[in-house]
Amino acid sequence: SYSAISGPILKRNSQCTFRCCSSAVVSHPETSSPSPPPLKKRVVSGVQPTGALHLGNYLGAIRNWVSLQDTYETFFFIVDLHAVTLPYETKDLSKATKDTAAIYLACGVDISKGDENVGVALLTYPVLMAADILLYQSDFVPVGDDQKQHLELTRQLAERVNNLYGGRKWKKMGGRGGSIFKIPEPLIPPTGARVMSLTDGLSKMSKSAPSDQSRINLLDPKDVIANKIKRCKTDSFTWLEFDNPDRPECNNLLCIYQLVSGKTKEEVAQECQNMSWGTFKPLVTDALVAHLQPIQARYEEIMSEPSYLDGVLAEGAAKATDIADSTLNNVYQAMGFLRR
């Protein structure tokens, strides 16, 4: 199940899913007939409602999803079925789902944008992931450059079903013919796809307890952020530089500063090249606090209005269900099943 945010957060069913919907008013000269807008390609992605979302989730995925809303028809989900594939506290799942939904919205997921937004998972459960993607007829799935292979099973399953039951065979069953499932392509995000651990610049930020010193959580207060940055792993060099393979922690902190400050890589390199760690760490801390403060404020505002959040999830679920039902009807028809 999922929690959906529509207009990028959807709720797919009674559990949870996010969906995004948008509308626009386009004026045309009175002398010409309005033409239908071009169909947008659909993007599917999501995250598990387990643990606190951290800076790596935000810079590596959520912020990129926000930027996709104007270009693609987007489906973003909170994938709670994926969350139960490991031991979990049943009493915490519903709260974690709503917390995650609120953070999505606070980070800029806009329910007034997009047409249909759906989501996948953490790309670790191939069959469940494939079902998520194919059910919502996704054109693209945002993945890191090192995760493209995770889509291969999804593509193989779609191609097999299309070959066995699609085309003329489906048409003979009363369907439209052609492909039953779209064949999804990987969508490689821009910078920020890999934010590394604060205690090991060669490892990604962990999914462990929120108190973990290796990561900055999106809802960490200023003093906690300052303490984590102060204690993060550095090296003995007296200058700062990007892209030195012998200095992964240095590169990671510079990348984080670049991403949250909005500066270019060249600007950061020039600004920080002669800085000591004692000077640079407070600079990173201040930039992180300034960047996360509006997100935290918006999160508190959303969580104080439970009816608003429930409404967003319910609307997203209804819209996502329409697409899922259409896909299932096609599959039942093409494969000869009686519709239950």
Side-chain angles (χ1 to χ4, degrees):
S1 79
Y2 299 85
S3 281
I5 301 178
S6 176
I9 302 185
L10 313 172
K11 175 158 181 164
R12 184 168 97 187
N13 59 24
S14 60
Q15 293 294 332
C16 57
T17 300
F18 284 150
R19 151 169 193 143
C20 213
C21 286
S22 71
S23 59
V25 177
V26 181
S27 60
H28 299 273
E30 292 183 1
T31 57
S32 63
S33 299
S35 57
L39 294 176
K40 290 183 178 180
K41 296 291 186 180
R42 181 174 297 160
V43 172
V44 169
S45 196
V47 68
Q48 292 190 27
T50 53
L53 291 179
H54 57 69
L55 193 66
N57 300 136
Y58 170 64
L59 295 178
I62 298 175
R63 195 168 74 163
N64 289 320
W65 296 343
V66 171
S67 69
L68 294 174
Q69 294 174 109
D70 293 324
T71 307
Y72 298 98
E73 179 187 35
T74 51
F75 279 77
F76 302 145
F77 283 89
I78 297 175
V79 289
D80 54 359
L81 271 182
H82 295 250
V84 304
T85 58
L86 293 173
Y88 72 103
E89 293 292 333
T90 55
K91 60 181 176 60
D92 295 334
L93 183 58
S94 177
K95 181 180 185 303
T97 297
K98 290 187 177 183
D99 285 348
T100 305
I103 292 177
Y104 270 54
L105 293 167
C107 287
V109 171
D110 185 350
I111 59 173
S112 69
K113 292 183 178 180
D115 285 320
E116 325 216 70
N117 298 316
V118 128
V120 49
L122 295 183
L123 304 179
T124 52
Y125 309 104
V127 174
L128 189 54
M129 181 192 80
D132 295 336
I133 297 169
L134 298 179
L135 185 64
Y136 297 95
Q137 302 291 354
S138 174
D139 294 290
F140 297 105
V141 177
V143 294
D145 189 47
D146 60 340
Q147 296 177 319
K148 289 185 289 185
Q149 72 275 13
H150 290 301
L151 279 180
E152 283 310 304
L153 176 63
T154 303
R155 292 170 55 84
Q156 291 170 10
L157 290 172
E159 289 169 351
R160 181 166 176 78
V161 171
N162 289 342
N163 290 334
L164 289 175
Y165 304 105
R168 293 181 179 179
K169 297 175 185 177
W170 183 16
K171 202 163 188 177
K172 289 180 180 178
M173 299 295 291
R176 70 167 189 270
S179 295
I180 300 170
F181 294 124
K182 290 184 178 180
I183 310 298
E185 297 287 344
L187 183 65
I188 308 301
T191 58
R194 300 191 71 179
V195 177
M196 311 308 283
S197 165
L198 297 179
T199 55
D200 179 4
L202 297 176
S203 302
K204 288 187 178 181
M205 285 192 173
S206 70
K207 296 178 286 183
S208 54
S211 60
D212 187 349
Q213 290 294 319
S214 71
R215 69 185 197 177
I216 301 293
N217 298 304
L218 294 189
L219 301 181
D220 279 345
K222 179 178 180 179
D223 60 328
V224 172
I225 294 174
N227 183 58
K228 289 181 178 181
I229 294 296
K230 182 179 179 180
R231 297 174 61 183
C232 71
K233 184 179 179 180
T234 55
D235 53 40
S236 59
F237 290 86
T238 57
W239 69 93
L240 305 178
E241 59 183 334
F242 280 103
D243 301 326
N244 185 335
D246 295 324
R247 306 184 66 189
E249 289 79 22
C250 179
N251 184 71
N252 186 44
L253 285 177
L254 284 170
C255 287
I256 290 173
Y257 177 60
Q258 175 200 339
L259 290 164
V260 299
S261 68
K263 299 177 181 179
T264 66
K265 185 175 181 178
E266 292 72 22
E267 289 172 338
V268 171
Q270 183 175 3
E271 176 187 4
C272 302
Q273 60 182 342
N274 296 319
M275 284 187 182
S276 66
W277 288 114
T279 303
F280 180 60
K281 284 186 174 183
L283 185 68
V284 177
T285 298
D286 290 343
L288 279 166
V289 170
H291 191 86
L292 295 180
Q293 192 280 327
I295 294 174
Q296 294 173 353
R298 178 58 180 151
Y299 169 81
E300 294 297 337
E301 181 182 353
I302 292 169
M303 292 302 291
S304 70
E305 302 178 39
S307 60
Y308 166 75
L309 187 56
D310 289 344
V312 168
L313 294 175
E315 179 184 357
K319 293 173 182 177
T321 297
D322 289 342
I323 294 173
D325 283 348
S326 176
T327 300
L328 284 175
N329 285 333
N330 290 341
V331 171
Y332 269 68
Q333 182 185 53
M335 297 182 70
F337 288 113
L338 290 175
R339 188 64 167 136
R340 294 179 178 85

